[in-house]
Amino acid sequence: MEYPIIDGEWHSAESGADVREYLDEDAFRENERAGYTAGPDEWGPVQWDGWDRSAGGRSTINIHSPDIESAEDVDPVREQLGIDRVVFSPGLFRMTTIPAMDKQVPYMRAFNDMTVDRFARGDGTYYAKLMVFGEHPEESAAEIERLADEDGVVGAMITDVGPTYPMGHSSYDPLYEAAEKHDVPIILHSTTGIVAGFPIAGMKPTNFAEFHTLAHTVPKMWHANSLIQRGVPERYDVDIGFWEGGLSWVPALAERLDREYLERSSEFAELSQLPSEYLSEFYYGSQPLPEEATSMVSVAELIERADLEDQVVYTSDRPHQDFDAPAAIDNVEGLSDEQRKKILHDNAAELFGL
Amino acid sequence: MSERDTSGLRRVCAVNDVSPESPEVVEVDGQFVAVFESDGEYYALDNACPHQGGPLGQGKVEDECVYCPWHGWQFDVETGEHVQGIEDATSYEVTVDSGDVYVAL
């Protein structure tokens, strides 16, 4: 079966300098040259936040790629991996770690201008998500208003950790209104960059492995729980995607949600179906897939029982260290050819309107 | 005169092409072979990591193990054995003769 393979997430890998170019205030841009987003052209194994993501140099870290300046620069590796279409995600999404709140908004705007200029083409190959910040929902809504209709812009990604509320909170309403109006999905993505707040506050991990194991997944549960209990899917016609959290948390949350709902429905928003059924309507990035050796998990069975055949989107997470080549989907046992096609093409095409 | 019988083997590179810090990757009949040196001994593995196909020849070598640069999977350079016991890399028997490295494919 021949069909174009769509990657729901390839990080644009821009440097701080790339983003700073688009800051629109001259004095601010000049001051920031030695500021928070400054750094070497290439970081070593230990990155800006003190984490060694490479296990002592044993795997290659490639978060900021100096040789990637625009979409077409990923052509060689994209072709090598057999990927036909890419929906870029921000690279420098850890800008939510900037402690000064009033700096985040100009950076968000600069980032999105850079994305539209360099990565969102709408040419059949390259598409991109805007970046929006949870701490600034009104300004984020304004970004969607400003740029959602640009060629190649097909979604908005939110860094879902930091000093902010779970995503069912009413402060996010402007974001959902804008996303609904412009028909852009909101994609949740965590960061292991040290952000004040949930979840690292209190986790006290010994090293990166201990943190990274849970860093993406726990926030997804936190947000999905909140979105459903506060009735966001009932109030807004917005597609929501959970990227890089894995898949097995979905039935774990379903189990807890339905039990809690049946015991305390008065504390939930007005729902028209069981909470677990909303989980079957969200979208999920496939990366990182479970290892085959983890015998207690069967992706094919999970997709069947959770009714996720039309919801899982292949994501590579290039160029990050724990990426999945498209071959990883072929390696999942028990999937039919039709299901593989949905994961590698149809679901992304539907979600992003490709 | 050859000190070892290298008939039936494929020459992949010269010993000088390989160092502990810099393995050599050679294509032989469409297959990519990664040649490693460790403590003066030479080893060869299929360059494609059994996990997701990453390039073992670009991996860090430490304590006679190579770590695939894609996801850090750890293999014994001599036997190809996956240290964590999930899936081994393919190893090739290596013969060194007169400054050249040969493998039995």
Side-chain angles (χ1 to χ4, degrees), chain A residues 225 229 251-266 268 274-276 279:
Chain A
N225 180 48
Q229 292 214 25
L253 181 62
E255 172 192 318
R256 289 294 307 122
L257 269 172
D258 287 352
R259 174 95 193 217
E260 209 62 29
Y261 176 65
L262 293 171
E263 292 180 9
R264 295 191 175 83
S265 58
S266 62
F268 282 61
L274 279 178
S276 59
L279 286 172

Side-chain angles (χ1 to χ4, degrees), chain A residues 165-192:
Chain A
Y165 289 93
M167 289 193 65
H169 191 266
S170 56
S171 62
Y172 291 95
D173 286 353
L175 182 66
Y176 299 132
E177 279 159 22
E180 182 180 67
K181 180 177 163 193
H182 291 273
D183 195 24
V184 287
I186 303 287
I187 306 298
L188 276 65
H189 193 299
S190 293
T191 176
T192 50

Side-chain angles (χ1 to χ4, degrees), chain A residues 58-128:
Chain A
R58 292 176 182 80
S59 46
T60 308
I61 292 305
N62 197 6
I63 296 181
H64 304 304
S65 307
D67 52 338
I68 307 297
E69 296 199 338
S70 64
E72 293 74 18
D73 291 336
V74 312
D75 278 346
V77 181
R78 178 183 60 72
E79 284 164 14
Q80 185 188 50
L81 290 174
I83 292 168
D84 299 291
R85 290 190 185 138
V86 162
V87 181
F88 284 108
S89 283
L92 217 64
F93 53 89
R94 54 104 178 170
M95 286 200 287
T96 47
T97 62
I98 297 174
M101 291 287 166
D102 59 358
K103 282 193 184 175
Q104 291 181 3
V105 173
Y107 266 107
M108 174 174 63
R109 293 194 183 121
F111 180 87
N112 289 329
D113 286 335
M114 181 204 71
T115 293
V116 167
D117 189 28
R118 300 192 191 182
F119 293 98
R121 302 288 190 225
D123 60 354
T125 305
Y126 293 115
Y127 301 85

